[in-house]
C-alpha cells in the first residue's frame, strides 16, 4: 500500500514501514502462498495496513477462486506486533487453525500460517532465496529423491521446511505420476518424526472392508480367517507419518471412522473393545477434486478440513518445462547403471519428441518411455537413443512429423502443443456451457487442472452477475 500524501513519511511512520518490510531483526518478511494453481512468494509490502484478496486492487493479490476480492487485512502496530483480521470474506480466514470471527484480530509471527479460503499463506522471515536452475549447480539426486529445477516446484519445495516444522496434516494434490509420494517422503524426512516410521497406504487398491482392516487392524477371531491378531497401519505409524495415497477413493462410511481416529487419537481394532492411543501425522494425496466431491456428497467436508492443514498442488510434468529433459537424462543414466550397460545419449530428434509429448502419465510415463528407449537402443547396438526407440504414442508422433519444419526454432513444438491443448479446453468449456466441473469431466482431469489451464491460456471465465465476493 503506497502513501498517497505528498512528501516523505515522518520518521515514526518510516520506522514502522521498515519493521513491516524487514521484521524486528532486520530481515525481510515474505508471504509464501500455496494456491490451487501452485506456490508463489511475494515480499510483504510496507505499511501499517496491507490488504489481501483476489482483486488486483489489493496490496497482495491472491489468485484463487476460494479467496474473496477483499479477503483479509494484515495489520502492524507501532510496536511491531503483527495481526490478521478477516474482511468479511466468503470462505473465512484462519490463523494456525483458528477461524476468525467477525472483527476478530489474531496475532501472527514469522513461521505462522494463515488460511484464506483454501489458500495457505505462510509468513516467512529472511532473504528471498530461490535455488539456482542451472543444471550443474545442484548435486545429482539420490534414488527416490526429487530433481527440482522448475521454478514453481522450487517454490513448493521451499515450503517443506515450514510444513516439516508443523504437526498439521498435509494434503498433496496433482495428477497421477507428478511425484506426490516423493514429496510426502521428503516432508517426513525433514520433520521431527524422521526417525519414526513412514507408513504408506494406497487407498485405491483395497475395498472398504479390507481398507478398514489394514488401517485399524483386528483381533484374533474378529472375522473368518483372522487366526491371529494384527495391528493396523495407524498403530504401525505411531510416532511417525501415515501417508494416505489416493485419498479420494476412500468410501464415505470409512471416511467417518477415519475422522474419529484423527479427532480422538484413538484407534479400535476390529473385534476389540479396548482403544489404543496413536500419535500420527497425516499426509494425504489425491488426483481427485475433493472440493467438488464434497459438493456432490462423495467426500466428507469435515474430514477434508482436518486433512488439509497445508494444501499443495504439484503441477503436471508438461508444465515443468525446465525439468523434462533433465529427468529424461537422469532416468537414462540410472537405467544404465542399474543394468550395467554402456552409457547412452539422447539424440536431437529424441529430445524434440520428448519435449513435444504432453506426458499425460507424467513422470512415471517419462521414466518408462526412457527405459524402453534404452532397452531398444542397446538391443540394436546403438549408443544414441532416437525417436523410434522411444515408441512415443502415435498421436504425439504425428504432431512431431507435422511440425518438423518448425523445429528449427526452439520451443516451437511446445507452442504447437499448447495451442492444441487450449483448443481442447475451449471446446470442453463450450460443450459444458462454461461449467468448469463438467468441462473437467469431459477432459478426464480435475477441476483444479481446468482452472490452472484457463488462467495459463488467458481464457475468460463466465461469472454470474449475482456472485458474491
Amino acid at each position: 500500500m503506497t502513501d498517497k500524501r505528498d512528501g516523505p513519511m515522518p520518521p515514526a511512520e518510516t520506522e514502522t514501514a521498515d519493521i513491516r518490510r524487514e521484521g524486528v531483526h532486520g530481515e525481510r518478511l515474505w508471504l509464501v502462498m500455496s494456491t490451487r494453481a501452485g506456490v508463489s512468494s511475494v515480499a510483504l509490502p510496507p505499511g501499517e495496513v496491507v490488504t489481501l484478496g483476489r482483486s488486483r486492487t489489493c496490496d497482495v493479490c491472491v489468485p484463487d477462486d476460494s479467496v474473496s476480492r477483499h479477503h483479509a487485512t494484515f495489520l502492524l502496530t507501532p510496536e511491531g506486533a503483527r495481526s490478521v483480521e478477516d474482511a468479511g470474506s466468503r470462505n473465512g480466514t484462519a490463523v494456525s487453525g483458528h477461524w476468525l470471527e467477525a472483527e476478530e484480530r489474531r496475532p501472527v509471527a514469522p513461521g505462522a500460517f494463515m488460511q484464506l479460503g483454501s489458500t495457505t499463506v505462510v509468513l516467512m522471515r529472511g532473504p528471498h532465496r530461490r535455488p539456482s536452475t542451472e543444471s550443474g549447480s545442484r548435486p545429482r539426486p539420490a534414488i527416490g529423491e526429487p530433481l527440482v529445477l522448475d521454478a514453481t516446484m522450487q517454490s513448493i519445495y521451499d515450503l517443506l521446511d515450514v510444513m516439516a516444522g508443523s504437526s498439521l496434516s498435509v494434503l498433496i494434490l496433482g495428477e497421477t505420476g507428478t511425484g506426490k509420494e516423493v514429496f510426502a517422503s521428503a516432508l517426513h524426512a525433514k520433520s521431527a518424526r524422521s526417525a519414526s516410521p513412514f507408513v504408506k497406504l494406497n487407498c485405491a487398491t483395497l475395498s472398504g472392508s479390507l481398507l478398514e482392516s489394514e488401517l485399524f487392524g483386528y483381533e484374533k477371531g474378529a472375522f473368518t480367517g483372522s487366526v491371529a491378531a494384527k495391528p493396523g497401519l495407524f498403530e504401525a505409524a505411531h510416532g511417525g507419518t501415515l501417508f494416505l495415497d489416493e485419498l479420494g477413493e476412500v468410501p464415505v462410511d470409512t471416511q467417518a471412522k477415519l475422522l474419529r481416529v484423527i479427532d480422538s487419537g484413538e484407534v479400535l481394532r476390529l473385534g476389540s473393545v479396548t482403544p489404543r492411543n496413536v500419535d500420527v501425522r497425516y499426509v494425504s494425496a489425491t488426483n481427485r477434486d475433493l472440493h467438488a466431491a464434497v459438493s456432490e456428497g462423495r467426500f466428507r467436508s469435515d474430514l477434508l478440513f482436518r486433512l488439509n492443514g497445508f494444501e499443495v498442488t504439484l503441477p503436471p510434468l508438461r508444465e515443468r518445462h525446465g525439468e523434462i529433459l533433465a529427468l529424461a537424462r537422469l532416468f537414462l543414466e540410472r537405467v544404465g547403471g542399474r543394468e550395467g550397460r554402456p552409457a547412452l545419449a539422447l539424440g536431437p530428434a529424441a529430445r524434440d519428441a520428448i519435449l513435444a509429448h504432453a506426458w499425460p502419465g507424467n513422470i512415471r510415463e517419462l521414466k518408462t518411455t526412457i527405459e524402453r528407449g534404452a532397452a531398444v537402443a542397446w538391443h540394436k547396438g546403438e549408443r544414441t537413443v532416437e525417436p523410434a526407440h522411444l515408441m512415443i504414442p502415435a498421436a504425439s508422433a504425428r504432431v512431431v512429423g507435422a511440425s518438423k519444419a518448425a523445429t528449427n526454432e526452439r520451443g516451437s513444438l511446445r507452442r504447437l502443443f499448447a495451442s492444441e491443448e487450449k483448443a481442447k479446453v475451449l471446446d470442453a468449456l463450450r460443450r459444458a456451457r462454461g461449467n468448469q466441473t463438467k468441462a473437467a469431466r469431459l477432459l478426464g482431469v480435475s477441476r483444479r487442472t481446468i482452472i490452472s489451464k484457463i488462467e495459463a491460456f488467458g481464457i475468460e471465465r463466465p461469472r454470474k452477475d449475482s456472485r458474491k465476493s
Side-chain angles (χ1 to χ4, degrees), residues 46 92 113 122 156 158 176 185 192 199 211 252 309 357 375 422 442 449:
F113 74 95
V122 183
I156 292 173
D158 280 347
T176 298
S185 179
V199 178
L211 178 62
V252 174
H357 189 46
K422 179 179 179 180
L442 289 172
T449 299

Side-chain angles (χ1 to χ4, degrees), residues 50-264:
V50 174
T51 56
L52 297 87
R54 197 175 73 247
S55 172
R56 295 187 180 278
T57 63
C58 291
D59 299 311
V60 177
C61 180
V62 186
D64 192 292
D65 280 349
S66 69
V67 175
S68 295
R69 296 184 184 280
H70 298 277
H71 195 107
T73 304
F74 205 90
L75 304 150
L76 178 71
T77 67
E79 294 77 24
R82 306 171 192 87
S83 61
V84 170
E85 179 180 294
D86 186 75
S89 66
R90 181 177 69 252
N91 292 321
T93 301
V95 177
S96 299
H98 173 81
W99 290 93
L100 302 181
E101 302 290 342
E103 299 183 357
E104 177 187 2
R105 293 185 181 181
R106 192 79 171 181
V108 292
F113 74 95
M114 296 158 278
Q115 197 79 17
L116 279 62
S118 62
T119 289
T120 299
V121 180
V122 183
L123 177 65
M124 302 185 71
R125 179 165 57 205
H128 187 229
R129 176 185 52 81
R130 174 159 294 184
S132 171
T133 59
E134 294 296 326
S135 59
S137 63
R138 285 176 169 262
R140 303 293 278 175
I143 302 295
E145 291 184 353
L147 175 71
V148 184
L149 297 176
D150 177 75
T152 299
M153 289 295 290
Q154 288 175 354
S155 295
I156 292 173
Y157 271 85
D158 280 347
L159 274 177
L160 270 180
D161 289 333
V162 177
M163 296 180 188
S166 167
S167 61
L168 284 169
S169 298
V170 177
L171 177 61
I172 310 169
L173 306 172
E175 297 177 11
T176 298
T178 51
K180 297 188 289 294
E181 182 177 333
V182 173
F183 186 87
S185 179
L187 174 62
H188 172 75
K190 278 182 168 284
S191 74
R193 297 172 179 261
S194 58
S196 298
F198 176 66
V199 178
K200 299 176 286 186
L201 174 65
N202 188 324
C203 302
T205 60
L206 301 171
S207 64
S209 58
L210 288 176
L211 178 62
E212 289 184 17
S213 67
E214 286 296 315
L215 281 172
F216 298 95
Y218 51 82
E219 297 291 353
K220 179 181 178 180
F223 50 84
T224 302
S226 56
V227 296
K230 177 186 175 182
L233 296 183
F234 286 117
E235 293 179 62
H238 180 68
T241 302
L242 178 59
F243 176 52
L244 299 172
D245 199 7
E246 305 294 352
L247 176 69
E249 308 304 322
V250 176
V252 174
D253 55 345
T254 305
Q255 292 174 26
K257 298 174 183 178
L258 175 59
L259 179 63
R260 281 198 294 272
V261 176
I262 296 172
D263 282 338
S264 68

Side-chain angles (χ1 to χ4, degrees), residues 327-350:
L327 281 168
R329 294 188 181 101
L330 182 62
F331 293 147
L332 195 59
E333 175 185 309
R334 285 178 176 172
V335 70
R338 187 176 70 238
E339 300 292 336
R341 305 295 293 270
L344 294 170
L346 287 172

